[in-house]
Amino acid sequence: MNNKNSILLEDPGFDPVAALNCNLLLKITADSFSYAILNTTEQKIEVVYDCQDFQPTAHNLSSTILSDPYLSLLFNRVKIGSYTTNTIAVPEAIYNPEVVEPYFKYFSDLEHYSDRVYTASYSGQDFKSLFLLPNAVESAIKTHWREARSFEQTASLLAINQAAEQQQFYLDFTAGSFHAMLLRGGKMIFQNVFQIENPEEFHYYLLLLLKQLQISTTDTKVLASGILNEGDEQHNILMKYFPRVDLCRPAESTLHNSILEDMPPHYYTSLLALNLCE
């Protein structure tokens, strides 16, 4: 443990030279920063770092990256999943890759966002995602990982929940927020991130989502990952409305994850799922 908000788990036998055989998975949310180093040759998790209550400003990101010896290594691939408020879903049937300017009218707060429009498609979905990254994240990518593959925060959750026939309500928690996604017939129909200061605020947003999205609490499968534990206040709130809440473990069960043996496995599900994104 580095301080009250961060944790570093590392395989004592990890050789930094072996980073050339590794993927760096980096997840930046509105209030957290985490990464995993995944050895693709040995199918092994070498390092996991997680910092909660982290504000991803240009200064904080830059100082964190520069002070971390692992992040200066040379990797096989780098995949970055970032929080953004500027994301829109465009039906594949009407998307024109040659014309992206009209979509800028749907973006906001452009002063704090890069003007580079990223696009992504997701297996099993019929829309193209167009998004901008915050200036702080874009600057970190240009400075340190120009060849990185960038995704919005939703990508890893969709990678986990492909081909889901039953209605699914997925919640991914940090210490101060949760990312909600609803799928019907395997298709994403809603996603958003909510900042919360206490369980009461989570309760409020949960009831709002249940009402606005008309979620049946008896016919919906609830999946949760991130900073949530059985018996804590937010888990108990969920159990008031749903008969069962499944804590979602990392999708890649073939990974050797001995460094996570003493940690709740669902803490890093969405982080490790970045490796499924292409």
Side-chain angles (χ1 to χ4, degrees), residues 45-96:
I45 303 172
E46 301 281 12
V47 179
V48 168
Y49 174 80
D50 179 54
C51 182
Q52 298 292 312
D53 298 323
F54 178 91
Q55 297 301 313
T57 64
H59 171 74
N60 285 351
L61 276 176
S62 178
S63 61
T64 297
I65 293 169
L66 290 174
S67 63
D68 190 319
Y70 285 124
L71 294 180
S72 65
L73 299 176
L74 296 177
F75 297 98
N76 177 40
R77 299 185 70 186
V78 178
K79 299 182 180 183
I80 299 174
S82 174
Y83 164 80
T84 174
T85 59
N86 279 320
T87 176
I88 57 174
V90 180
E92 291 275 10
I94 64 172
Y95 173 68
N96 182 353

Side-chain angles (χ1 to χ4, degrees), residues 149-216:
R149 185 77 169 88
S150 299
F151 304 91
E152 59 174 324
Q153 196 171 336
T154 309
S156 60
L157 302 190
L158 285 173
I160 298 169
N161 293 283
Q162 291 184 18
E165 294 184 4
Q166 182 181 4
Q167 176 164 285
Q168 290 187 323
F169 187 39
Y170 196 108
L171 303 169
D172 188 41
F173 292 85
T174 68
S177 68
F178 72 99
H179 190 176
M181 183 173 70
L182 182 67
L183 297 99
R184 288 178 181 156
K187 304 293 186 182
M188 188 187 79
I189 65 167
F190 173 86
Q191 72 86 24
N192 205 351
V193 176
F194 300 86
Q195 300 288 111
I196 51 176
E197 294 186 1
N198 50 57
E200 288 73 23
E201 287 193 358
F202 169 66
H203 199 170
Y204 167 80
Y205 284 121
L206 176 64
L207 290 176
L208 180 66
L209 289 168
L210 295 181
K211 179 179 180 181
Q212 295 295 322
L213 300 176
Q214 299 181 342
I215 298 175
S216 169

Side-chain angles (χ1 to χ4, degrees), residues 78-122:
V78 178
K79 299 182 180 183
I80 299 174
S82 174
Y83 164 80
T84 174
T85 59
N86 279 320
T87 176
I88 57 174
V90 180
E92 291 275 10
I94 64 172
Y95 173 68
N96 182 353
E98 303 299 325
V99 184
V100 297
E101 289 81 4
Y103 299 115
F104 266 90
K105 65 183 178 182
Y106 299 106
F107 297 138
S108 62
D109 191 26
L110 296 181
E111 178 183 354
H112 297 100
Y113 278 80
S114 167
D115 59 2
R116 177 181 177 182
V117 179
Y118 289 87
T119 62
S121 298
Y122 307 106

Side-chain angles (χ1 to χ4, degrees), residues 9-23:
L9 305 170
E10 50 192 334
D11 189 308
F14 174 54
D15 180 0
V17 175
L20 289 171
N21 299 320
C22 296
N23 289 347

